[in-house]
Amino acid sequence: MYIGRVKGTVVSTVQHSQYDGRKLMLVARLELDGRESTSAYDICVDTAQAGVGDVVLVLDEGSSARQILGKRGTGPVRAVIMGIVDRVEI
Amino acid sequence: MYIGRVKGTVVSTVQHSQYDGRKLMLVARLELDGRESTSAYDICVDTAQAGVGDVVLVLDEGSSARQILGKRGTGPVRAVIMGIVDRVEI
Amino acid sequence: MYIGRVKGTVVSTVQHSQYDGRKLMLVARLELDGRESTSAYDICVDTAQAGVGDVVLVLDEGSSARQILGKRGTGPVRAVIMGIVDRVEI
Amino acid sequence: MYIGRVKGTVVSTVQHSQYDGRKLMLVARLELDGRESTSAYDICVDTAQAGVGDVVLVLDEGSSARQILGKRGTGPVRAVIMGIVDRVEI
Amino acid sequence: MYIGRVKGTVVSTVQHSQYDGRKLMLVARLELDGRESTSAYDICVDTAQAGVGDVVLVLDEGSSARQILGKRGTGPVRAVIMGIVDRVEI
């Protein structure tokens, strides 16, 4: 899992039933110093009503992502926004 | 998942039944600034009738890719073109 | 698996039952020369009562992580802190 | 999946039954500009009678690789040479 | 799979039954030119009685690693030392 910032939404011809009503979000990975990565990102299925600019927790493993979507471990997905990050205590 | 641009097709001796009638496409990953990566790419099974130059959504996880191919979770594949990207709203 | 140093804790809106009573820790990967990576990190579920500053063993594979959590191979998780590292003998 | 060039064979003490009669090949990843990567490579189980110098299609996912080996989804393998690449049309 | 050189052993509080009698080894990845990577490494469960300095074959996929450990595909592990490398013929 990693922390990222939502940069935008992706509109695609994908019409998979698993995605109905869920947005595909472009999330840039945040580095350890808090800056956005210039290269690392994922297109994530949103499960946390995240909006552009939000700092979120990304779960980047297929089996886990499918469980979050709640469909008995099936569904074509690799990464999901799992929650909004309230704060990181260091 | 990531966004990429189709660069070409791959012709190989691979004769797996799962691939019948499906093209193998070379897809370059697009970076956050919209440029093509010079190193990150995947050879993807096309499921979206994508053509060279199209901007596409790539699903780069085996279990998910197999579900998209629709063969009960079997089949030797790691990455598929899942859809054409219409636009990214930032 | 890799060796990392705990940098802090993450507070998120994630309310998954699997996580009850377990902390989400930000762990920076340690390089071969012992320095912390400036880019490689994971948000890990803690299973070893690790604290900030501890050097830990991180298991970064979903199926394994789920087994460590002890819930019959289910649960949305990709990385866990598996143990405290006492020493590395080189 | 990616495209690589076979660089040599690996002789090891590994004596796994799944590997009987199959060579372990060192395959360097080819970059988008056709050059060999200086760092990215895999040790692959050959399923295509590939020889040194051949340009090949590498399937780098365990579940898929096991299916190619044809042993009901079992066997310790992460990457296989899946076929010889005849040409890439760009 | 990749080729690496054993750099040392890791002593940790991890007390998982699967690991009884097996060492955790720090293995640095070898690059294509034979040099050790300065950043890529894995903590591996040893299944080949490898010693410090040995050049080894590393299997870096969880399902495969579990099969090598011989416990019916269970066990928390992502990477194992699968064998000693006798030579690479290029």
Side-chain angles (χ1 to χ4, degrees), chain D residues 7-14 19 24 26 28 37 39 41-43 62 66 74-78, chain E residues 1-3 29-32 57 59-61 63-64 67-68 82-90:
Chain D
K7 300 298 289 178
T9 56
V10 177
V11 181
S12 170
T13 54
V14 178
Y19 286 3
L24 289 175
L26 192 160
S37 170
S39 63
Y41 73 90
D42 270 305
I43 306 299
R66 285 184 280 279
T74 65
V77 60
R78 194 183 67 82
Chain E
M1 291 174 282
Y2 66 87
I3 295 175
R29 184 182 174 101
L30 291 181
E31 301 290 1
L32 281 168
L57 187 64
L59 180 49
D60 53 339
E61 194 244 5
S63 297
S64 296
Q67 292 184 37
I68 290 287
M82 198 178 175
I84 309 289
V85 172
D86 292 323
R87 65 185 183 282
V88 180
E89 296 172 345
I90 294 183

Side-chain angles (χ1 to χ4, degrees), chain A residues 1-4 29-33 48 55-65 67-68 78 81-90, chain C residues 7-14 16 19 24 26 28 37-45 52 61-63 66 73-79:
Chain A
M1 292 174 280
Y2 66 86
I3 295 175
R29 183 183 176 101
L30 291 181
E31 301 290 2
L32 281 169
D33 58 8
V55 174
V56 294
L57 187 64
V58 173
L59 180 50
D60 53 338
E61 195 243 5
S63 296
S64 296
Q67 292 184 37
I68 290 287
R78 193 183 69 80
I81 297 176
M82 198 177 175
I84 309 289
V85 172
D86 293 321
R87 66 185 183 280
V88 180
E89 296 172 344
I90 294 185
Chain C
K7 300 299 289 176
T9 55
V10 177
V11 181
S12 171
T13 54
V14 178
H16 198 279
Y19 287 2
L24 289 174
L26 191 160
S37 170
T38 55
S39 62
Y41 73 90
D42 270 305
I43 306 300
C44 305
V45 177
V52 172
E61 195 244 4
S63 297
R66 285 184 279 278
T74 64
V77 61
R78 194 184 68 81

Side-chain angles (χ1 to χ4, degrees), chain C residues 13-45:
Chain C
T13 54
V14 178
Q15 299 289 352
H16 198 279
S17 60
Q18 195 100 32
Y19 287 2
D20 284 356
R22 292 192 195 272
K23 284 189 194 167
L24 289 174
M25 313 292 269
L26 191 160
V27 180
R29 184 184 175 99
L30 291 181
E31 301 290 2
L32 281 169
D33 59 8
R35 288 187 297 183
E36 291 175 16
S37 170
T38 55
S39 62
Y41 73 90
D42 270 305
I43 306 300
C44 305
V45 177

Side-chain angles (χ1 to χ4, degrees), chain B residues 27-84:
Chain B
V27 180
R29 183 184 176 100
L30 291 181
E31 301 290 1
L32 281 169
D33 58 8
R35 288 186 299 185
E36 292 175 15
S37 170
T38 56
S39 62
Y41 73 90
D42 271 304
I43 307 300
C44 305
V45 177
D46 180 29
T47 71
Q49 285 76 49
V52 172
D54 283 348
V55 174
V56 294
L57 186 66
V58 173
L59 180 50
D60 53 338
E61 195 244 5
S63 296
S64 296
R66 284 184 280 278
Q67 291 185 37
I68 291 287
L69 286 183
K71 300 289 183 71
R72 301 183 180 193
T74 65
V77 60
R78 194 183 69 80
V80 299
I81 296 175
M82 198 177 175
I84 309 288

Side-chain angles (χ1 to χ4, degrees), chain D residues 27-41:
Chain D
V27 180
R29 184 183 175 101
L30 291 180
E31 301 290 1
L32 281 168
D33 58 8
R35 289 186 297 183
E36 291 175 15
S37 170
T38 55
S39 63
Y41 73 90

